[in-house]
Amino acid sequence: MSAEDFDLASLAVHLHLTPEQVRKMAERDKIPGRKVGGEWRFSTAEIHQWFEDRIGASDEKELSQVERVLQQQAAHDMVDEVDIPDLLPPGRIFIPSVARTKNSLIESICRLTADTGVLWDPDKMAEALHSREALHPTALENGVAMLHPRRPIPGIIGEPFLSLAIQTAAIPFGGPRGTLTDVFFLIGSTDEALHLRVLARLSRLIQAADFLQHLRAASDSKTAWDLIMSTDAQLT
């Protein structure tokens, strides 16, 4: 394991738990870890993946708790809070999107995002997204996909960003039980911690009452952005 990985004490600080709580979670296979020389060690990459999986399976109450932990860590690291409307301006909301296949949707949203200046290598991003989707689809049962590489690629990103494409017609995208997908967020993060914070906030946003219904009905990017801004402001 890397020297940058967590031990019991540092992971407890990271998760805002006690070392005893983390030890019990590890012993019960509630969190990925292994013993090295009799001491618990936790891979940073595996912990971030565990967080991502937890976010994807959580309800609003659990998401709020996860986001609170991530916000506490951000405050400890003295970094700014995630601001979804700021990361996703109207110029990166693409309505309507008319892709007919998974491949064309990925290539389209990467190309359109690159045209706004925040993504320097759309082909490399598209390749990373294809690899991530092949590993585990990001499409959810509610018709939303949160596209992102398996790991952030800061070398091709000018700044952290979000993009959004809303399809005129839903397409197959690997959703559970064959669910079709018509709302696609693209997450461009510079590091794992930021990615998790954005993912947690977005997950809360799309679970807000009637949000997706109104988002799908938005006729233009400004209308969609206004909805995102007002809904995000209501999240506590």
Side-chain angles (χ1 to χ4, degrees):
M1 280 193 171
S2 166
E4 297 180 357
D5 291 334
F6 296 106
D7 60 14
L8 201 62
S10 61
L11 184 57
V13 171
H14 186 72
L15 299 179
H16 295 270
L17 299 171
T18 67
E20 180 64 14
Q21 286 174 311
V22 175
R23 183 185 63 77
K24 288 181 178 179
M25 291 172 69
E27 290 176 346
R28 297 169 184 172
D29 293 326
K30 299 295 185 181
I31 193 167
R34 65 208 71 177
K35 281 193 171 182
V36 178
E39 301 292 332
W40 280 103
R41 300 287 293 178
F42 305 88
S43 162
T44 299
E46 289 180 354
I47 291 300
H48 285 158
Q49 185 62 53
W50 170 78
F51 247 123
E52 184 170 311
D53 292 342
R54 186 178 175 189
I55 289 168
S58 296
D59 58 21
E60 165 57 26
K61 182 178 179 181
E62 292 169 332
L63 279 172
S64 181
Q65 294 172 341
V66 169
E67 189 179 25
R68 190 174 300 113
V69 168
L70 295 171
Q71 288 172 340
Q72 290 172 333
Q73 185 61 39
H76 178 269
D77 295 338
M78 293 184 293
V79 297
D80 294 335
E81 291 187 9
V82 165
D83 187 324
I84 296 298
D86 185 56
L87 291 171
L88 182 58
R92 285 200 295 275
I93 299 176
F94 310 120
I95 300 175
S97 174
V98 294
R100 296 184 179 180
T101 66
K102 173 185 284 192
N103 288 349
S104 62
L105 184 285
I106 289 175
E107 291 159 8
S108 173
I109 197 170
C110 288
R111 184 185 70 254
L112 291 170
T113 301
D115 289 343
T116 71
V118 295
L119 176 59
W120 298 334
D121 192 335
D123 293 336
K124 188 170 183 178
M125 176 63 83
E127 180 182 355
L129 296 180
H130 284 302
S131 296
R132 175 65 175 83
E133 293 297 322
L135 181 68
H136 185 70
T138 59
L140 306 172
E141 196 166 8
N142 56 8
V144 177
M146 296 192 187
L147 302 169
H148 58 271
R150 187 178 181 189
R151 296 285 179 267
I153 315 175
I156 67 170
I157 293 173
E159 62 188 59
F161 69 82
L162 286 169
S163 295
L164 168 62
I166 302 177
Q167 283 276 119
T168 54
I171 59 175
F173 211 81
R177 292 182 290 280
T179 302
L180 300 180
T181 307
D182 61 351
V183 176
F184 297 87
F185 290 93
L186 172 58
I187 305 173
S189 299
T190 50
D191 60 71
E192 296 273 9
L194 175 62
H195 168 70
L196 292 174
R197 290 161 57 214
V198 171
L199 188 63
R201 190 68 174 182
L202 266 184
S203 297
R204 292 190 65 200
L205 189 71
I206 65 173
Q207 288 192 21
D210 300 324
F211 172 75
L212 288 177
Q213 176 185 344
H214 293 308
L215 185 66
R216 290 182 169 108
S219 58
D220 55 58
S221 60
K222 183 59 166 58
T223 302
W225 186 83
D226 286 343
L227 172 67
I228 290 167
M229 182 175 65
S230 61
T231 306
D232 182 72
Q234 294 172 23
L235 298 178
T236 57

